[in-house]
Amino acid sequence: MREYHTQSLPRYEGEPKKSLLSVVTPAYNEADNLPLLYERLSQVLDSLTLDWEWIIVDDHSADDTFAAIADLAKQDSRVHGIRFSRNFGSHTAMTCGLHYAQGDCAVIMAADLQDPPETLPDLLTEWQRGAQIVWAVRRRRVGEKASKAGFAQLYYFLMRHVVGMKQMPATGADFFLVDRRVMEALRYFGESNVSIMALITWMGFRQAYIAYDRRVRPHGRSGWSLEKKLKLVLDSLTSFSYLPIRLMSYIGFIVALLGFIYAGFVVVNAIFGHPTPGWSSLMVVVLVLGGMQMLMMGGLGEYLWRALDESRRRPRYIVEATTNIPGDQTYNSLHI
Ligand code: UDP
Ligand code: MG
């Protein structure tokens, strides 16, 4: 049994029946957006009858994100900050935020105001009606470059129709609410190379959907490089699907069959005095087969590397500093 993170934030003393909502935000170079988000978020949440906390995980930003979090935490004790020792990626930042969250439910929300805080009451209504996972589904992908929207469409198509996660919203799953039970379940997963949204979809529970319109970023730009996106696609496929490996076997079988048929054709031609001119056809076969073999070895390597990486059991994240989190949790986090 692995050791799990159990350090907890103090529960707020409020009216006994009020629920506690944890808002979890991964932040990478978002110093200018966080104060704006705080204003909007606190305005919406203070108008509801619940207690709330905001956990911001700074994914080793190069700007003043952590100083901005510290300022907010000084201003409002419901704001808590954690800074990673390096850039671990937003999915790991969300996982870390959920480990620290103490709420009866938690909402994952980006720092860039693309997911409007005004949507929170709708998410909470579905939760109060009994849903344990509530996805905020974008009506459309507005204001995005065609290449980005196309990539996202392809990714969610693969997840829904190839991996078979039909419950994932087709337009993107970045903004969602999870019940305490889902947060507890998440503690038992130790995987590093995985999409947290896919993991949560895979868990099952009672899932519900609400619709919202995604806005444009006021400051900064997207932290998702092409390299990070490709890693996410491969992580999502290898974590939940065995299909690529099966395809390799099928393709291997079909190519071998074609090879045998072609060999028969060459032999028959030779017997009847029309030997097949060799050079070009030989090159075609060698190149096609060589390329396919390398592709398949690469595919196997993706699975193999992930198996090796998970077996190292390195911590999924390392905390460099915290703000407004009781005790120094830097070393506790190493055991997660
Ligand atoms: N983010 C992060 N680490 C990264 C990249 C992004 O924590 O390496 C955060 C980012 O600050 C934002 C959220 O993840 O709060 C969503 O990222 P972004 O807005 O860049 O993604 P997009 O909107 O382009 O999908
Ligand atoms: Mg964004």
Side-chain angles (χ1 to χ4, degrees), residues 41-289:
L41 192 63
S42 53
Q43 207 175 358
V44 172
L45 293 179
D46 286 343
S47 70
L48 303 173
T49 44
L50 47 71
D51 292 317
W52 59 273
E53 61 176 8
W54 188 20
I55 298 166
I56 311 166
V57 183
D58 172 7
D59 193 8
H60 203 75
S61 303
D63 70 354
D64 292 331
T65 295
F66 197 60
I69 302 171
D71 282 348
L72 292 173
K74 232 178 266 165
Q75 212 183 108
D76 187 333
S77 63
R78 296 170 295 185
V79 178
H80 309 274
I82 298 154
R83 177 172 163 85
F84 280 170
S85 65
R86 69 170 177 83
N87 183 248
F88 280 92
S90 67
H91 287 236
T92 309
M94 292 173 202
T95 308
C96 167
L98 288 172
H99 285 157
Y100 280 79
Q102 291 298 300
D104 299 301
C105 65
V107 168
I108 304 285
M109 177 175 199
D112 56 8
L113 288 143
Q114 286 195 281
D115 308 329
E118 291 72 22
T119 314
L120 284 170
D122 290 349
L123 284 168
L124 287 161
T125 306
E126 285 301 321
W127 175 66
Q128 277 153 354
R129 284 189 189 145
Q132 289 160 311
I133 299 171
V134 190
W135 300 102
V137 184
R138 313 173 193 194
R139 290 201 180 86
R140 316 169 283 262
R141 300 188 73 104
V142 280
E144 274 182 355
K145 273 199 264 167
S147 58
K148 183 174 177 180
F151 194 94
Q153 256 166 5
L154 180 66
Y155 173 74
Y156 287 103
F157 177 83
L158 281 176
M159 291 310 287
R160 286 163 57 87
H161 301 290
V162 177
V163 178
M165 290 198 175
K166 293 269 186 294
Q167 285 178 304
M168 253 192 165
T171 46
D174 315 274
F175 185 20
F176 56 96
L177 175 146
V178 287
D179 180 74
R180 181 88 222 151
R181 277 180 189 272
V182 180
M183 293 148 75
E184 301 282 355
L186 198 67
R187 287 172 197 269
Y188 290 91
F189 290 82
E191 295 159 68
S192 304
N193 304 293
V194 73
S195 149
I196 182 177
M197 286 78 154
L199 204 56
I200 287 175
T201 311
W202 177 88
M203 282 187 195
F205 289 109
R206 289 192 297 273
Q207 306 198 12
Y209 304 84
I210 57 139
Y212 82 109
D213 286 316
R214 208 165 198 233
R215 307 293 151 83
V216 186
R217 245 178 192 275
H219 296 287
R221 57 195 180 91
S222 169
W224 279 87
S225 59
L226 182 64
E227 193 191 338
K228 282 183 188 170
K229 284 183 192 168
L230 284 176
K231 165 119 184 6
L232 181 72
V233 172
L234 289 172
D235 280 347
S236 307
L237 284 178
T238 53
S239 298
F240 298 99
S241 179
Y242 160 69
L243 190 70
I245 292 190
R246 192 174 295 164
L247 277 181
M248 285 175 217
S249 319
Y250 287 168
I251 294 172
F253 178 75
I254 291 167
V255 171
L257 197 68
L258 290 177
F260 281 119
I261 294 171
Y262 187 60
F265 171 75
V266 170
V267 170
V268 170
N269 265 357
I271 291 172
F272 289 100
H274 309 288
T276 317
W279 179 243
S280 354
S281 54
L282 203 65
M283 278 308 284
V284 169
V285 172
V286 167
L287 288 178
V288 169
L289 280 188

